[in-house]
Each structure stands twice: as C-alpha cells, then as structure tokens.
Amino acid sequence: KAGVTQTPRYLIKTRGQQVTLSCSPISGHRSVSWYQQTPGQGLQFLFEYFSETQRNKGNFPGRFSGRQFSNSRSEMNVSTLELGDSALYLCASSPSARYNNEQFFGPGTRLTVL
Amino acid sequence: AQTVTQSQPEMSVQEAETVTLSCTYDTSESDYYLFWYKQPPSRQMILVIRQEAYKQQNATENRFSVNFQKAAKSFSLKISDSQLGDAAMYFCAYRSGGAGGTSYGKLTFGQGTILTVHP
C-alpha cells in the first residue's frame, strides 16, 4: 500500500504570494491532519479534515486554509505569505475517526518564503 | 489546553547501550493517548510506540519500551541495544481521547530530543 504523498516536496515563494500544498492520504484513509514544523515553534497542528469537513482547527490566522476532496485528498492554502511561514508542512492520514488511530505522516513540503 | 514537555534537547548513547528519553505532559483529561514518534534526517515521521492512558501495562515494541506514570504525568521512552539507525529526533505526542471538536485529528507534540548514537 502506498504511503502518504505530498507535493511538491520543495517550494520557494516570495512574500505576498500565495501557495497551495497537496496531500494524498493512504488509500482508504478518510482523516487528514496538517502540521507546521519550524525550529522555533516546533510541530503545531493546523487543521483536520474528515469526509470533506473541517472538524478541528489550530491557532493559525485565517491566511491558512484547507479543503478535502471526495477522494480524501487534501490541499492547504496559505495566502499573503510572510517570512515566518517558512516551514516544513506535514500532513498525516488516519483510517477513521477513532482517537487512538495512528497518524501516518507524509515526507513533508519544505516551503521557503523570500 | 494540553502541553507536552521534553526537557532534554539532546541525548547521546553508545551503540548497544540503553538510553532513556524523558517526557512529561499536563492535562486535566482522564482519557488520552500518548505516542513517541521518530523523525530521522529524511524528515519522515515514524510512529515508534503508543500507550493508551487507561492501560496500566507499559507498552513495548521490540527494543523500545515506555515507562508510563499516569499520576506523575510522565511518559519516558527507553531504547535498548541502541543502533546507529536509531539516531533521529524523537517527539513525544499527546492525543485527547474525549469526544468533541477540539479532539479531532490533533496531536500535541513536545519540542523533541535529538538522539545521537556513537559507534
């Protein structure tokens, strides 16, 4: 079974631009969570989608948004990029809504904002 | 809000020796799950071990075991017979077991511990 895939793997943008990152979960997984990883703040939860619905959201500004499609693939969008948005963005998929399910992580998208 | 603290930014161990990574957490919930994840230089997060809070028995996975002290809110990871491939950043993570919107899909991570394994 293929793992979680994220595209692109690396991205360079300039301040003010917007960016869209994509995550394809493991086949059959319906829950997708997104995390931002930076050296200063560590790993922080962005949001979670299940069956095309956002069920949970972390403490990030409205510039960060996401969506999930009927095939469970998910995208996250960051508008009006700031230098501080430079980070590794990880997505993780889980088979169902059970709380003890393991989250399977993708390799991440490294975003650099210049 | 729940918090997870890893007080050891870096640890080192000799190959074949044993090392223990510390983690403490703060929560008012009684139902939750704790995890240790490994992140090697490739950045791929890999689950090492999982502990359900309602289980008194400490979880073990081959060379990896935990010491779960619920009253003390402590969740340490012991790696036995350390191997060069164990070198990575290790994260302790908390997940609420309660129902409700703030529980869905959210792992709360500690700051991580960089483990170096010396040959």
Side-chain angles (χ1 to χ4, degrees):
Chain A
K1 204 182 246 190
V4 178
T5 58
Q6 292 187 246
T7 56
R9 293 293 310 279
Y10 302 91
L11 207 49
I12 299 176
K13 292 286 187 179
T14 57
R15 278 183 302 173
Q17 287 187 311
Q18 75 165 15
V19 67
T20 299
L21 311 182
S22 181
C23 172
S24 292
I26 292 172
S27 177
H29 286 194
R30 296 167 63 190
S31 170
V32 174
S33 296
W34 288 89
Y35 296 87
Q36 180 195 64
Q37 186 175 17
T38 60
Q41 298 299 316
L43 279 151
Q44 293 186 290
F45 172 77
L46 280 155
F47 29 64
E48 187 258 6
Y49 286 87
F50 182 83
S51 294
E52 303 178 65
T53 300
Q54 184 184 90
R55 299 190 303 176
N56 199 3
K57 189 177 188 303
N59 188 26
F60 278 82
R63 300 186 297 107
F64 291 82
S65 62
R67 60 178 175 169
Q68 187 180 35
F69 302 94
S70 58
N71 61 357
S72 294
R73 189 177 72 84
S74 178
E75 289 181 347
M76 68 163 282
N77 182 276
V78 188
S79 63
T80 319
L81 284 166
E82 300 177 0
L83 295 179
D85 296 333
S86 294
L88 180 70
Y89 290 89
L90 295 168
C91 84
S93 75
S94 189
S96 73
R98 288 174 61 84
Y99 301 103
N100 63 339
N101 278 152
E102 174 184 352
Q103 291 190 3
F104 295 82
F105 283 81
T109 294
R110 169 74 65 185
L111 172 64
T112 301
V113 182
L114 302 176
Chain B
Q2 296 80 29
T3 59
V4 178
T5 303
Q6 293 178 248
S7 59
Q8 306 154 317
E10 298 183 32
M11 291 284 285
S12 65
V13 64
Q14 292 293 131
E15 201 175 1
E17 297 294 310
T18 296
V19 65
T20 299
L21 308 184
S22 300
C23 172
T24 58
Y25 59 94
D26 187 28
T27 184
S28 58
E29 299 176 327
S30 58
D31 185 17
Y32 53 88
Y33 303 87
L34 298 166
F35 305 85
W36 278 98
Y37 278 90
K38 167 185 176 182
Q39 187 178 43
S42 68
R43 295 297 186 181
Q44 182 83 46
M45 295 278 279
I46 302 164
L47 178 68
V48 174
I49 199 164
R50 167 174 53 211
Q51 176 78 44
E52 290 85 348
Y54 63 84
K55 289 187 178 178
Q56 292 186 334
Q57 187 173 5
N58 289 325
T60 61
E61 286 288 342
N62 301 314
R63 299 182 295 107
F64 299 88
S65 62
V66 299
N67 183 5
F68 173 49
Q69 301 290 325
K70 191 171 184 178
K73 294 179 183 174
S74 170
F75 182 61
S76 60
L77 174 70
K78 185 171 83 171
I79 305 174
S80 304
D81 186 25
S82 296
Q83 301 175 359
L84 295 177
D86 295 333
M89 175 86 89
Y90 285 80
F91 290 96
C92 178
Y94 172 102
R95 183 168 184 179
S96 172
T102 59
S103 303
Y104 293 128
K106 178 182 178 181
L107 288 170
T108 300
F109 287 91
Q111 287 297 101
T113 297
I114 299 172
L115 177 65
T116 302
V117 181
H118 298 288

